[in-house]
């Protein structure tokens, strides 16, 4: 019988041998990986994970997502930008490639920048005004198929933009680049123009950068880093720009992004030192334990504010929420602390206003029950209209968190007497449903907004200017449309400086106290955990992430 | 043989058409608008319309499908991703080697384990080995690969530091943005995914091999071989294994195709940038060209594997050669 088993034993031994060989190799490699050093100095490779997604584009004129921009910031050289500083100082624009803020003509329509001499791309070529002209042309060129510029009506903002977008002109006539002087001729005064330029779209690109609707992956950049290699879905590698001579930090020799990592596995990797940081954050369930073990903002577990406000929207265009008292009643009824707890420890700060800290015009106030639902007050404010209200279609995506959020909100609404119809909707279709005018939803639980640029216009005008309502793709999915408020928004947008901030502060408060079109409940934070070797954490609330170029692993 | 091949080719074309048509129809039924997704959060209806036209989504579905077929047959192009605008050919070219590494490596692992264990169990039914292996079968069939993968990576990768927790290295040195490469690192990084894959499939194959061997050993021709004085090794190799492993070859051919589906879980857990991972991302963003491209590729793989099985079958068993 023994001889019968030779074959099977041989295969068993072969399998075991393969296992042993592989694990031996593993042990040797692990030992090598553990031999890293700590301390704040330049050098090393910063290994970053990105859970559940990859950059969709790294072409600065096609990229739009927050993670895209946080990465591109390390490669970017912009006319104006944010400094690598924590807190309020980090949200103050400074002239980066420009020698100073622009000079503005008396009619407010011509902005002139002077570019600092000596700036160079990573291939050694000089940065001139033409580099910034090209970024505008790549944003608006029909050959790029980029929807981004027109989303903000940039073609209407700049003289010649519309003709260029239509393919009727080789260049945008309103942008003049001569040597190191760059001028923009606007169609009308625009107080947000300099803020708009802080977006990553307007980074310097070489004047001969091609129009490519698929986007470019590897190209010379003028910031502290450039993209050395990019294999979508696999990895993105940044290397230090050898020609960058500015003051911005450039600590790691290389920054490597690994996308699409499972969030729980990613945390294990960081704990084990196999990765330095997950730029998508930590699992909500892990935050409390990490804080207990490592403390908050004391070296490894970090909590940072974002520019994002989470809110629930009521459909102001249809019954019952065309009744302002019912909208206010809902603001009293929603249990904000419960919604925040749902997102785990350190998820953010409760709020009942739309502007967030750091945005000009932000001034904290409390108009509703932000310490918990006040059912009695909600019933009192809503009165008999609650009982006669039609059944509410409550729409949410079917993920676990969204479903839980909706369940809590529905419980709160039922407490005050509303009748509920729960409508889970796939994420691929969700925004299409809620952003189409005439939609049948009454209450949407997955709302939120993060700053494109640090200006109250990007919150209040973009989200609540009813004069901009269109057939589909509305950011104003509360369908709030009040002529008086629209006029005030337009007026505030035309102001500048302190007057502008004051006007928006008033509008932020008036929006919620007088009209209550939505239920803001959270100014969210991001939670990060780093490997023990990571030093020099400087956090940007604009990107909601650390400045990757400042992190040190050497 | 020629007639057999022609028949198989026509069958392959038919399968290919059915698979792609179904994929298109399913996508059409899903209430998503890729143009709106691609246009961004502030796009006006005109912007969305412009993007829709740019992506040819404003055409009737039959024309989109014919365009897809023409590009595939005439230009060998699977189109471009709606989301990243990359060529789907390129995406598949990048991802397929990863999935192939997982599936074929996993197949070697599961066969290396299941064939000897299955045979030993069959030779000694109700022994301790048999009971242990049947318990393993029960666990392997019952446990989800995600759970198995998480447990393995936690215990072996995180607690014991024996393997990487997640990640992938290319087999061949070099490549764009590659941080590690070479056969040794490749195998080292794939060890846990292979074991995860192995546990699921080995459980099925141990039971299959065990049942086949036991059944074959009771056949008349085995008894006759022994009666003629053939050695036990000759009886086992020439008569028992050769016959009892035939169904394994059949199932293996089909499972290699099915494994592409199973790879979704394993690739997600271990962050292997393969086709399974890609198709999940594509689904989440309603990226029809990528989904369709991967479905086409998987269909071709299944057809090819089945063809290989048919041919191999003929070599293993002369009674069923096509001629």
């Amino acid at each position: 019988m023994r001889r019968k088993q030779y074959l099977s034993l041989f295969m068993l031994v072969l399998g075991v041998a393969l296992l042993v060989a592989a694990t031996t190799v593993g042990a040797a490699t692990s030992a090598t990986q553990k031999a890293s050093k700590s301390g704040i100095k330049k050098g090393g490779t910063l290994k970053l994970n990105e859970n559940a997604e990859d950059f969709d584009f790294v072409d600065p004129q096609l990229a739009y997502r927050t993670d895209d921009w946080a990465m591109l910031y390390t490669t970017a050289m912009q006319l104006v930008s944010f400094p690598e500083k924590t807190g309020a100082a980090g949200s103050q624009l400074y002239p980066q490639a420009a020698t100073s803020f622009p000079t503005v003509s008396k009619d407010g329509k011509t902005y002139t920048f002077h570019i600092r001499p000596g700036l160079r791309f990573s291939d050694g070529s000089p940065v001139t005004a033409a580099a910034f002209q090209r970024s505008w042309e790549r944003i608006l060129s029909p050959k790029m198929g980029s929807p981004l510029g027109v989303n903000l009506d940039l073609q209407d903002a700049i003289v010649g933009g519309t003709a260029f977008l239509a393919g009727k002109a080789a260049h945008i006539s309103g942008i003049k680049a001569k040597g190191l002087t760059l001028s923009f001729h606007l169609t009308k005064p625009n107080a947000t123009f300099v803020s708009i330029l802080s977006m990553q779209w307007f980074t310097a690109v070489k004047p001969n950068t091609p129009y490519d609707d698929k986007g470019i992956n590897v190209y010379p950049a003028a910031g502290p880093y450039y993209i050395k290699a990019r294999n979508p879905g696999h990895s993105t590698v940044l290397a230090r720009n050898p020609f960058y001579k500015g003051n911005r930090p450039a600590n790691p020799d290389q920054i490597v992004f690994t996308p699409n990592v499972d969030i729980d596995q990613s945390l294990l990797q960081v704990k084990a030192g196999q990765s330095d940081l997950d730029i998508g954050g930590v699992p909500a369930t892990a935050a409390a334990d990490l804080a207990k073990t490592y403390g908050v903002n004391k070296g490894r577990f970090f909590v940072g504010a974002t520019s994002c406000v989470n809110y629930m929207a009521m459909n102001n265009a249809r019954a019952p929420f065309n009744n302002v008292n019912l909208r206010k009643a809902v603001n009293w009824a929603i249990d904000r602390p419960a919604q925040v707890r749902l997102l785990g420890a350190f998820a953010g700060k409760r709020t009942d206003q739309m502007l967030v800290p750091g945005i000009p015009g932000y001034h904290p106030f409390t108009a509703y029950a932000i310490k918990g639902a006040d059912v009695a007050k909600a019933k009192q404010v809503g009165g008999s209209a609650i009982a006669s209200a039609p059944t509410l279609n409550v729409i949410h995506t079917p993920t676990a968190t969204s479903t839980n959020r909706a369940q809590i909100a529905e419980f709160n609404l039922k407490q005050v007497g509303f009748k509920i119809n729960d409508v889970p909707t796939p994420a691929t279709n969700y925004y299409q449903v809620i952003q189409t005018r005439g939609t049948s939803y009454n209450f949407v639980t997955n709302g939120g907004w993060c700053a494109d640029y640090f200006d109250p216009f990007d919150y209040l005008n973009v989200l609540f200017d009813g004069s901009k309502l269109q057939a589909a793709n509305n950011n104003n999915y509360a369908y709030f449309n009040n002529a008086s408020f629209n006029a005030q928004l337009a007026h505030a947008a035309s102001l500048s400086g302190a007057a502008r901030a004051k006007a928006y502060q008033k509008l932020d408060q008036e929006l919620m106290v007088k009209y209550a079109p939505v239920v803001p409940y959270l100014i969210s934070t991001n939670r990060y955990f780093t490997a023990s070797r990571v030093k020099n954490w400087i956090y940007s609330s604009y990107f909601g992430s650390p400045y990757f170029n400042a992190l040190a692993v050497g | 043989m020629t007639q057999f091949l022609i028949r198989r080719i026509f069958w392959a074309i038919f399968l290919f058409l059915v698979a792609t048509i179904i994929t298109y129809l399913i996508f059409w039924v899903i209430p998503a608008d890729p143009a709106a997704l691609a246009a961004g959060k502030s796009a006006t209806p005109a912007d969305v319309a412009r993007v829709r036209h740019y992506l040819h989504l404003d055409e009737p579905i039959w024309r989109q499908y014919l365009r897809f077929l023409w590009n595939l047959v005439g230009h060998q192009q699977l189109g471009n991703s709606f989301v990243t605008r990359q060529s789907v050919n390129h995406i598949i070219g990048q991802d397929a080697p990863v999935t192939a590494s997982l599936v074929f490596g996993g197949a070697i692992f599961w066969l290396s384990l299941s064939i000897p264990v299955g045979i030993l169990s069959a030779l000694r039914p109700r022994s301790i080995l048999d009971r242990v292996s049947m318990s393993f079968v029960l666990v392997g069939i019952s446990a989800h690969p995600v759970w198995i993968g998480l447990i393995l990576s936690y215990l072996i990768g995180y607690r014991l530091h024996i393997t990487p927790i997640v990640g992938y290295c290319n087999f061949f040195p070099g490549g764009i943005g590659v941080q590690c490469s070479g056969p040794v690192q490749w195998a080292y990084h794939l060890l846990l995914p292979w074991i995860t894959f192995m546990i699921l499939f080995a459980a099925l194959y141990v039971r299959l091999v065990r049942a086949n061997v036991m059944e074959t050993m009771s056949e008349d021709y085995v008894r006759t071989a022994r009666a003629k004085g053939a050695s036990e090794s000759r009886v086992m190799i020439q008569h028992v294994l050769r016959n009892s492993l035939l169904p394994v070859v059949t199932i293996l051919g089909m499972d290699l195709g099915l494994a592409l589906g199973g790879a979704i879980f394993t690739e997600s857990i271990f962050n292997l940038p393969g086709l399974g991972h890609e198709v999940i991302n594509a689904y989440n963003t309603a990226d029809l060209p990528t989904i369709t491209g991967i479905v086409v590729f998987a269909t071709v793989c299944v057809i090819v594997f089945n063809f290989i099985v048919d041919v191999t079958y003929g070599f293993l068993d002369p009674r069923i050669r096509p001629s």
Side-chain angles (χ1 to χ4, degrees):
Chain A
M1 281 298 282
R2 191 173 296 277
R3 278 160 51 186
K4 290 180 196 172
Q5 301 168 10
Y6 283 168
L7 177 66
S8 36
L9 282 173
F10 170 73
M11 303 226 27
L12 197 59
V13 168
L14 179 68
V16 171
L18 279 169
L19 279 168
V20 170
T23 51
T24 309
V25 170
T29 311
S30 294
T32 310
Q33 286 172 345
K34 281 178 193 168
S36 60
K37 296 175 184 175
S38 61
I40 303 172
K41 56 182 180 181
K42 287 192 171 187
T45 296
L46 177 66
K47 294 179 283 186
L48 303 177
N49 283 349
E50 189 179 15
N51 68 62
E53 60 185 5
D54 188 13
F55 308 119
D56 51 355
F57 293 103
V58 297
D59 185 317
Q61 277 77 50
L62 289 175
Y64 186 35
R65 295 196 330 221
T66 312
D67 53 336
D68 299 343
W69 280 14
M71 185 277 289
L72 287 174
Y73 174 85
T74 66
T75 68
M77 176 60 70
Q78 296 175 266
L79 292 168
V80 293
S81 188
F82 300 102
E84 283 92 345
K85 291 180 181 173
T86 299
S91 59
Q92 301 299 314
L93 285 178
Y94 78 107
Q96 191 177 66
T99 54
S100 63
F101 283 109
T103 53
V104 186
S105 63
K106 282 184 182 173
D107 63 1
K109 294 202 285 190
T110 302
Y111 286 65
T112 304
F113 287 91
H114 297 284
I115 313 300
R116 283 194 286 127
L119 299 176
R120 291 190 178 277
F121 286 101
S122 51
D123 64 354
S125 57
V127 176
T128 62
F132 299 96
Q133 181 186 32
R134 188 63 168 180
S135 64
W136 272 83
E137 290 176 349
R138 290 187 88 241
I139 269 284
L140 286 176
S141 170
K143 295 173 189 165
M144 290 291 287
S146 170
L148 302 176
V150 288
N151 285 355
L152 289 178
D153 294 330
L154 291 178
Q155 76 280 15
D156 298 330
I158 197 97
V159 171
T162 308
F164 183 76
L165 178 67
K168 294 175 182 170
H171 297 284
I172 302 171
S173 60
I175 302 177
K176 301 290 183 195
K178 188 175 181 184
L180 295 177
T181 303
L182 179 70
S183 61
F184 296 95
H185 302 283
L186 309 187
T187 53
K188 59 183 178 184
N190 185 341
T192 62
F193 186 68
V194 175
S195 289
I196 284 174
L197 292 177
S198 68
M199 291 193 285
Q200 299 302 306
W201 301 336
F202 304 112
T203 185
V205 293
K206 287 193 69 173
N208 63 354
T209 305
Y211 295 122
D212 184 344
D213 61 2
K214 293 182 178 60
I216 49 174
N217 285 323
V218 177
Y219 51 89
Y225 289 86
Y226 69 100
I227 299 172
K228 180 183 171 188
R230 158 98 172 139
N231 190 357
H234 294 235
S235 69
T236 303
V237 181
L238 310 186
R240 209 183 272 127
N241 174 2
F243 295 96
Y244 179 76
K245 306 297 179 195
N247 295 326
R248 296 176 62 193
N251 289 327
D253 289 336
Q254 253 193 164
I255 304 175
V256 177
F257 295 87
T258 303
N260 297 318
V261 187
D262 176 84
I263 190 169
D264 294 299
Q265 300 285 70
S266 188
L267 178 61
L268 287 185
Q269 273 204 302
V270 176
K271 281 183 175 177
Q274 294 177 11
S275 175
D276 292 313
L277 168 75
D278 189 320
I279 66 172
V282 299
T285 49
D289 279 346
L290 290 169
K292 193 176 172 186
T293 308
Y294 301 99
V296 179
N297 296 335
K298 289 181 178 171
R300 293 191 65 183
F301 177 64
F302 295 93
V303 177
T306 69
S307 65
C308 304
V309 57
N310 291 21
Y311 62 93
M312 300 178 188
M314 293 169 275
N315 189 340
N316 291 222
R318 69 186 253 128
F321 292 130
N322 51 2
N323 178 339
V324 67
N325 286 334
L326 288 185
R327 299 201 298 265
K328 289 180 181 175
V330 170
N331 264 288
W332 285 106
I334 292 296
D335 188 344
R336 290 174 172 86
Q339 293 291 348
V340 176
R341 280 197 300 274
L342 186 64
L343 300 171
F346 309 102
K349 182 185 167 193
R350 299 186 299 268
T351 189
D352 61 354
Q353 63 187 105
M354 287 303 294
L355 293 185
V356 304
I359 300 292
Y362 170 76
H363 183 76
F365 65 84
T366 302
Y368 299 100
I370 67 168
K371 291 184 178 175
D374 188 336
V375 176
K377 182 76 176 176
K379 284 181 176 175
Q380 180 202 329
V381 171
S384 60
I386 295 176
S388 59
T391 300
L392 303 181
N393 292 321
V394 178
I395 189 168
H396 60 90
T397 55
T399 64
T401 306
S402 296
T403 303
N404 292 344
R405 180 183 298 126
Q407 283 175 340
I408 294 170
E410 288 169 8
F411 172 78
N412 293 150
L413 294 169
K414 283 177 186 168
Q415 270 189 314
V416 296
F418 285 108
K419 299 177 283 293
I420 301 296
N421 175 34
D422 184 71
V423 189
T425 304
T428 47
N429 189 38
Y430 180 75
Y431 282 99
Q432 190 186 344
V433 170
I434 66 171
Q435 291 184 320
T436 302
R437 204 172 193 175
T439 176
S440 61
Y441 93 82
N442 299 103
F443 194 81
V444 49
T445 55
N446 297 64
W449 188 261
C450 304
D452 289 320
Y453 51 94
F454 265 15
D455 192 278
F457 182 97
D458 193 40
Y459 290 80
L460 299 186
N461 294 67
V462 169
L463 298 177
F464 298 105
D465 185 350
S467 68
K468 301 285 186 188
L469 280 169
Q470 51 195 18
N473 243 32
N474 289 292
N475 288 316
N476 179 1
Y477 45 77
Y479 299 96
F480 177 65
N481 186 7
N482 180 286
S484 165
F485 196 77
N486 295 345
Q488 289 185 75
L489 285 171
H491 175 66
S494 68
L495 301 173
S496 60
R500 180 185 178 85
K502 196 172 175 185
Y504 275 111
Q505 179 186 326
K506 179 173 169 284
L507 285 174
D508 188 32
Q509 192 154 350
E510 185 177 326
L511 178 77
M512 288 309 300
V513 173
K514 193 171 177 184
Y515 303 110
V518 294
V519 187
Y521 64 91
L522 171 72
I523 298 168
S524 64
T525 53
N526 282 341
R527 298 158 290 192
Y528 294 101
F529 180 65
T530 67
S532 57
R533 69 176 188 149
V534 176
K535 310 292 178 194
N536 202 34
W537 180 272
I538 304 175
Y539 181 82
S540 161
S541 56
Y542 175 54
F543 297 118
S545 72
Y547 293 102
F548 305 134
N549 50 317
L551 295 175
V553 292
Chain B
M1 190 66 181
T2 309
Q3 199 179 12
F4 169 76
L5 281 174
I6 291 170
R7 209 165 49 232
R8 293 298 303 181
I9 288 167
F10 273 107
W11 181 238
I13 292 169
F14 175 73
L15 275 180
F16 164 77
L17 288 173
V18 168
T20 52
I21 288 171
I22 289 174
T23 309
Y24 252 88
L25 289 177
I26 288 173
F27 196 91
W28 200 252
V29 170
I30 293 174
D33 185 352
L37 291 172
K41 65 181 181 181
S42 306
T44 64
D47 303 334
V48 176
R50 191 166 53 84
V51 173
R52 184 171 287 118
H53 179 70
Y54 181 80
L55 297 174
H56 302 294
L57 292 169
D58 53 352
E59 297 176 350
I61 185 171
W62 60 268
R63 187 173 290 171
Q64 289 181 47
Y65 179 72
L66 288 181
R67 180 188 296 279
F68 164 77
L69 270 187
W70 171 243
N71 283 335
L72 181 62
V73 177
H75 306 287
Q76 294 77 52
Q77 289 296 323
L78 289 161
N80 293 323
S81 161
F82 283 164
V83 178
T84 65
R85 301 186 188 175
Q86 278 189 93
S87 153
V88 175
N89 290 40
H90 177 75
I91 293 172
I92 291 175
Q94 292 287 318
D95 295 349
V98 181
T99 303
S101 299
L102 174 67
V103 171
F104 289 111
I108 291 171
F109 265 63
W110 87 58
L111 289 176
S112 301
L113 183 75
S114 60
I115 291 176
V117 171
I119 293 170
L120 287 172
S121 288
L123 292 176
R124 294 185 175 180
R126 286 177 292 281
S127 64
I128 291 177
L129 173 73
D130 186 33
R131 289 175 198 277
V132 169
S133 64
M134 285 305 106
S135 301
F136 165 77
V137 165
L138 191 64
V139 172
I141 290 175
S142 308
H144 196 277
V146 169
W147 182 83
I148 295 170
L150 286 172
I151 294 294
L152 285 176
S153 64
Y154 179 75
L155 290 177
I156 300 175
Y158 177 65
R159 301 298 296 187
L160 301 175
H161 304 289
I162 293 173
T163 64
I165 297 166
V166 297
Y168 179 77
C169 290
N170 283 350
F171 183 86
F172 297 105
I176 303 166
V178 167
Q179 295 302 301
C180 62
S181 58
V184 174
Q185 284 296 323
W186 171 79
Y188 174 47
H189 280 76
L190 279 169
L191 186 62
L192 290 186
W194 281 340
I195 293 174
T196 305
F197 229 63
M198 176 187 77
I199 290 174
L200 173 65
F201 283 95
L204 300 168
Y205 277 68
V206 164
R207 203 163 60 167
L208 180 73
V209 171
R210 179 179 181 271
N212 284 339
V213 170
M214 287 178 79
E215 187 183 336
T216 310
M217 283 174 66
S218 62
E219 292 287 345
D220 290 344
Y221 55 82
V222 173
R223 194 171 59 228
T224 305
R226 284 193 176 124
K228 286 166 70 179
S231 66
E232 277 303 315
S233 59
R234 184 180 173 84
V235 170
M236 283 302 295
I237 294 167
Q238 291 288 321
H239 298 281
V240 176
L241 290 184
R242 191 163 182 183
N243 287 290
S244 61
L245 292 185
L246 269 176
V248 174
V249 174
T250 311
I251 300 293
L252 180 65
M254 289 194 289
D255 280 348
L256 285 174
L258 287 175
L260 288 172
I264 288 172
F265 300 112
T266 315
E267 287 180 359
S268 297
I269 286 301
F270 292 104
N271 190 33
L272 305 177
L275 293 169
H277 213 167
E278 194 73 58
V279 84
I280 288 289
N281 292 338
Y283 170 75
N284 287 335
T285 51
D287 190 355
L288 175 61
T290 305
I291 295 171
T292 313
I294 293 174
V295 167
V296 168
F297 181 77
T299 305
V300 170
C301 286
V302 170
I303 290 167
V304 169
F305 288 141
N306 281 339
F307 180 77
I308 292 171
V309 165
D310 285 346
V311 175
T312 311
Y313 227 85
F315 281 106
L316 289 175
D317 189 347
R319 291 171 299 181
I320 48 176
R321 278 182 192 159
S323 58

